[in-house]
Amino acid sequence: MIVCKFGGTSLCDASRVRQAMAILRRDGARRFVVVSAPGRRFDGDEKITDLLLRAGNGDDEALAAALARFREMAAALGVDMEGELRRVREEIPGRGAEFAASRGEYLCGHLLARCLRWTFVDAAEAVCLRQNGTADLEETYRRLSRLLRPLKNAVVPGFYGTTRRGEVRTFPRGGSDITGALVAGAMGARLYENWTDVDGLMSADPRVVQNTICVPEVSYRQMRLLSAMGAQVLHPDSLLPVMRADIPTALKNSFHPERPGTRISGGARAKVPCLAGRALESGAGLLAILSPEAMDLPNCAVSALRAAGIRPRWLGAWSDRLLMRVRANCLPDALRALHHALIEGGAKPRPQA
Ligand code: ASP
């Protein structure tokens, strides 16, 4: 069985919802789906979560705008959401920003469940959060198994759960990824598919580096390093539940479902180099490079940086990853130089011993 999670851009309007439904229906193994709240439809648009956070702080216009978007989507999809919309409008005032923010996923879950005619399982009953906002794994797995095992299909809203005291709390931003991983872990899925608006893990941040390519596979350990270094494709806290249960994660583009995406699993290893960099407040910049076995990356990396006038300091070199330090203001140039030399130019094979 496959657990899917669709991000906000993949559910931002009625046509995107139809596309997600088509993906789900294409494979009967896709039995459980976790949803984000609708995201931005165009540059300058506001995410539903941002509108609702404002609504939670008393902004009635933002609340009206969020509910109007759901009403418009429901009308275009031919489903009736008036009961839920009325309830949310009545419940939000006075319940604080986290409760308000959670209603984006709640309403989106109801909407998709109604369109698919699948059961809606409320994350408030299924996901147990500790007071510090992290998931109580054991209790969550118990609840998810009890609620989901009897069902053929279900839609679960991402991003929120309840504490043992019954308060609705949210994960950090982007936290629907965590809910998806929890559902996959609890159900012992054979695959966790995370559907987004990008092709997968890219060889470097495309906002900094041109000509990036999609990395076909990486290990969980490699992905954790990249997430810690700022790669934003997947929430770092979503790796643990699937890593523990050894469930592969597929990062897929819902706009181009035919593209292969990135596969993350225990046994996988990056076959092309992949870069991430992060500036620290101290003025230092950290650079991580996933290094495929067959390449002589340490030497290539150092020569590429020296040729760009950058002097790196080694922090560590393992068989599958390298860590270096440069000055934070050199990071963009360092990433571009490394990408050019190691990926666009193709690094040299490791010399034979
Ligand atoms: N809707 C929430 C956010 O915008 C959570 C998520 O999408 O994962 O951060």
Side-chain angles (χ1 to χ4, degrees):
M1 168 250 300
I2 301 172
V3 170
C4 297
K5 179 258 165 178
F6 283 86
T9 321
S10 302
L11 297 166
C12 68
D13 61 20
S15 73
R16 302 303 319 158
V17 172
R18 279 197 204 97
Q19 174 78 18
M21 289 166 64
I23 291 171
L24 288 166
R25 285 183 172 143
R26 207 165 293 151
D27 185 342
R30 295 185 175 125
R31 286 178 45 205
F32 301 109
V33 57
V34 171
V35 295
S36 282
R40 287 191 196 96
R41 294 159 293 181
F42 43 81
D43 281 350
D45 193 19
E46 254 189 300
K47 291 182 179 183
I48 288 284
T49 306
D50 291 320
L51 287 170
L52 289 171
L53 280 167
R54 290 207 271 125
N57 290 317
D59 184 337
D60 286 341
E61 263 179 41
L63 178 55
L67 298 181
R69 256 183 82 183
F70 279 110
R71 192 165 290 119
E72 195 182 302
M73 287 168 78
L77 290 159
V79 292
D80 178 17
M81 290 276 293
E82 283 311 310
E84 268 84 32
L85 290 171
R86 204 172 318 117
R87 193 166 323 124
V88 166
R89 172 180 285 287
E90 283 163 12
E91 280 176 344
I92 281 185
R95 300 238 355 222
E98 283 193 50
F99 176 81
S102 76
R103 296 305 88 183
E105 273 72 11
Y106 172 86
L107 288 171
C108 193
H110 269 294
L111 180 70
L112 187 64
R114 216 147 283 180
C115 292
L116 287 163
R117 296 173 197 270
W118 288 10
T119 309
F120 171 83
V121 172
D122 195 348
E125 285 172 45
V127 177
C128 179
L129 269 75
R130 298 202 191 87
Q131 280 310 120
N132 68 5
T134 61
D136 179 333
L137 223 63
E138 246 176 71
E139 181 59 20
T140 300
Y141 279 14
R142 216 181 348 259
R143 292 183 189 186
L144 280 168
S145 314
R146 178 172 50 80
L147 292 164
L148 297 181
R149 291 235 177 261
L151 302 173
K152 181 165 178 275
N153 298 105
V155 181
V156 183
F159 190 41
Y160 69 92
T162 41
T163 61
R164 286 188 190 253
R165 289 193 214 147
E167 305 148 328
V168 169
R169 297 281 305 275
T170 53
F171 286 126
R173 294 301 300 266
S176 299
D177 285 345
I178 307 172
T179 315
L182 291 171
V183 174
M187 301 309 289
R190 72 170 156 82
L191 181 64
Y192 171 34
E193 282 182 344
N194 195 304
W195 292 88
T196 69
D197 57 349
V198 291
D199 282 348
L201 173 69
M202 303 310 283
S203 49
D205 184 343
R207 290 167 304 182
V208 180
V209 176
Q210 285 183 338
N211 304 323
T212 54
I213 54 170
C214 180
V215 179
E217 54 178 314
V218 287
S219 71
Y220 276 118
R221 213 169 46 178
Q222 292 178 321
M223 189 67 217
R224 272 176 82 177
L225 173 66
L226 295 182
S227 294
M229 297 287 290
Q232 283 173 7
V233 66
L234 194 64
H235 197 287
D237 295 350
S238 71
L239 291 167
L240 203 64
V242 271
M243 197 168 110
R244 273 195 188 167
D246 202 16
I247 298 168
T249 298
L251 304 178
K252 296 276 293 174
N253 188 343
S254 73
F255 291 70
H256 298 283
E258 72 291 350
R259 294 190 184 160
T262 299
R263 198 175 171 93
I264 311 162
S265 69
R269 231 156 181 248
K271 294 205 171 54
V272 288
C274 184
L275 313 171
R278 191 173 141 199
L280 303 180
E281 269 175 24
S282 64
L286 295 180
L287 266 173
I289 311 176
L290 301 192
S291 103
E293 248 165 43
M295 290 184 183
D296 183 22
L297 276 201
N299 286 331
C300 294
V302 170
S303 344
L305 290 175
R306 290 230 170 102
I310 299 167
R311 291 227 325 260
R313 275 260 184 106
W314 281 111
L315 295 178
W318 296 266
S319 64
D320 64 341
R321 57 207 197 280
L322 312 173
L323 209 53
M324 289 189 272
R325 196 172 72 195
V326 296
R327 290 219 315 273
N329 57 359
C330 298
L331 260 181
D333 283 340
L335 287 166
R336 285 190 278 265
L338 286 169
H339 197 269
H340 188 73
L342 305 180
I343 294 146
E344 289 155 73
K348 313 244 173 335
R350 201 188 288 279
Q352 296 300 309

